[in-house]
């Protein structure tokens, strides 16, 4: 099992090129099931989760090929199966996004209930509620969800989510594209990745309005065409490297990114005392060698502070010159990184009531630690980069799920990291 060895104590400095967004390319790959025509997805990051989704699509009979370092070609002709394999779904919750498109195109779909993961139970009740509202019948057996569309196909309907859900909104939006009539989704998720998926569906000929607001309207179509589409830059990868720059008192410039989707993170980064330079496709933070100031963080649905950047910012607060609190409102157990940060010398109390209190320390000290989930693993990378001495992070397959070429990008920024097999 690979480990990442980090020699800390040096400020990061330089430019990092941002990859395509993991949380956009995954639903977009699922949306390819909605058409028999070829689809080209550009700026598709080379990640474990993308490879997993490709294997799931192939299990249905799709052709999926990486024709360039950042380009995927997908074509889903006739289905040889409409059942998502358990051994793949159990490793990646996003696999559940295939349910809506499969059901809408082929009239039936089967997927194992995605298990929980380190950050929470992660139910899918809202996904099922939405698809049943379009007329699907649901049968649960042996840990599988089997859904069947009515004989004439799915029928548009009004659906109100009990709480905003990114995946639920995406699953339902995709299914509604081939349902007959109009579907209105209320209390929809407003995340930029939902907007990017809507843009992709529009490029396929779908009729969608309201994406990015909590009211999305989809007018169903008979069929959708292929598309040639550029995935949005990864806003969470952008936030991650900027936070790493601030935590190490450095100067980091994220290139090929979009500041529009990161207002809340940039507000918090400015509060550390870092100087921000924001352009059309770059964001730079310059600490001028100063130790970051602590910043209270409370995650919430977009446009609030993204839960996917919480663990990273917590690591920054561990070395800030004062006290702070970090509150997680989206997932019930997204503090698995706390115990590992404490091993590096962080002073953190909690979690209690989904909050932790951090007392920043002048210096962390390297130690062996273990990654527990994707974003927690980068929290440990940031702490290791800021610490004196050597940090060895185990189970870094978590990082490879969502961060493309992580050691190459850190080396370019002056990070002293190496992958240990
Ligand atoms: C997406 O997960 C992202 N993953 C997550 O990123 C991200 O943290 C999350 O949205 C929130 O922004 C992908 O896009 C692949 P949700 P998703 O449905 O869709 C509860 C990362 O690190 N809920 O918006 O699974 C759920 O338990 C990953 O890149 C229900 O109760 O998130 C959670 O508490 C981690 N019932 C909350 O809603 C449901 O039917 C938000 O979940 C669905 C969700």
């Amino acid at each position: 099992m690979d480990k990442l060895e980090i020699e800390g104590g040096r400020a990061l400095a330089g430019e990092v090129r941002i990859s395509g967004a993991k949380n956009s390319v995954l639903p977009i790959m699922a949306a390819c099931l909605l058409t028999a025509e070829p689809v080209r997805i550009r700026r598709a990051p080379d990640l474990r989760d993308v490879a997993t989704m490709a294997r799931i699509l192939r299990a249905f009979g799709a052709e999926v090929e990486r024709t360039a370092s950042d380009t995927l070609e997908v074509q889903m002709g006739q289905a040889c199966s409409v059942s998502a394999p358990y051994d793949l779904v159990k490793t990646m919750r996003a696999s559940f996004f295939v349910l809506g498109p499969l059901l809408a195109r082929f009239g039936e779909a089967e997927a194992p209930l995605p298990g929980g993961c380190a950050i929470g139970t992660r139910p899918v009740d809202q996904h099922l509620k939405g698809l049943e509202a379009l007329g699907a019948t649901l049968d649960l057996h042996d840990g599988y969800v089997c859904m069947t569309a009515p004989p004439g196909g799915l029928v548009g309907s009004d659906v109100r989510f009990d709480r905003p859900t990114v995946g639920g909104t995406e699953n339902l939006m995709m299914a509604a594209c081939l349902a007959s009539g109009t579907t209105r989704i209320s209390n929809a998720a407003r995340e930029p990745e939902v907007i990017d998926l809507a843009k992709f569906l529009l490029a396929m000929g779908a009729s969608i309005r309201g994406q990015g607001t909590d009211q999305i309207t989809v007018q169903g179509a008979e069929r959708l065409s292929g598309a040639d589409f550029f995935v949005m830059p990864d806003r969470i990868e952008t936030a991650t490297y900027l936070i790493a720059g601030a935590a190490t008192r450095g100067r980091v410039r994220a290139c090929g990114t979009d500041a529009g989707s990161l207002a809340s993170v940039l507000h918090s980064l400015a509060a550390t005392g870092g100087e921000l330079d924001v352009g059309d496709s770059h964001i730079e933070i310059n600490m001028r060698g100063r130790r970051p100031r602590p910043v209270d963080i409370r995650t919430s649905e977009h446009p609030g502070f993204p839960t996917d950047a919480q663990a990273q910012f917590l690591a920054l607060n561990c070395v800030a010159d004062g006290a702070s609190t970090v509150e997680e409102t989206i997932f019930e157990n997204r503090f698995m990184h706390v115990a590992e940060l404490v091993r590096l010398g962080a002073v953190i109390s909690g979690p209690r009531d989904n909050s932790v209190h951090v007392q920043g320390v002048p210096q962390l000290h390297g130690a062996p630690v273990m990654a527990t989930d994707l974003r927690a693993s980068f929290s440990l990378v940031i702490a290791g980069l800021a610490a004196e001495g050597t940090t060895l992070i185990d189970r870094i397959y978590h990082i490879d799920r969502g961060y493309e070429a992580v050691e190459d990008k850190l080396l370019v920024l002056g990070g002293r990291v190496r992958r240990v097999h």
Side-chain angles (χ1 to χ4, degrees), residues 371-390:
T372 52
D373 60 87
L374 169 58
R375 306 303 175 182
S377 53
F378 219 111
S379 171
L380 301 178
V381 169
I382 291 170
L385 289 166
E388 276 304 323
T390 305

Side-chain angles (χ1 to χ4, degrees), residues 4 35 69 74 163 173 216-217 235 301 311 326 347 393 408:
L4 203 60
T35 180
S69 62
V74 183
R163 64 174 296 168
M173 201 163 64
I216 298 176
T217 302
R235 64 190 175 107
E301 291 87 359
V326 175
V347 177
I393 304 176
D408 296 345

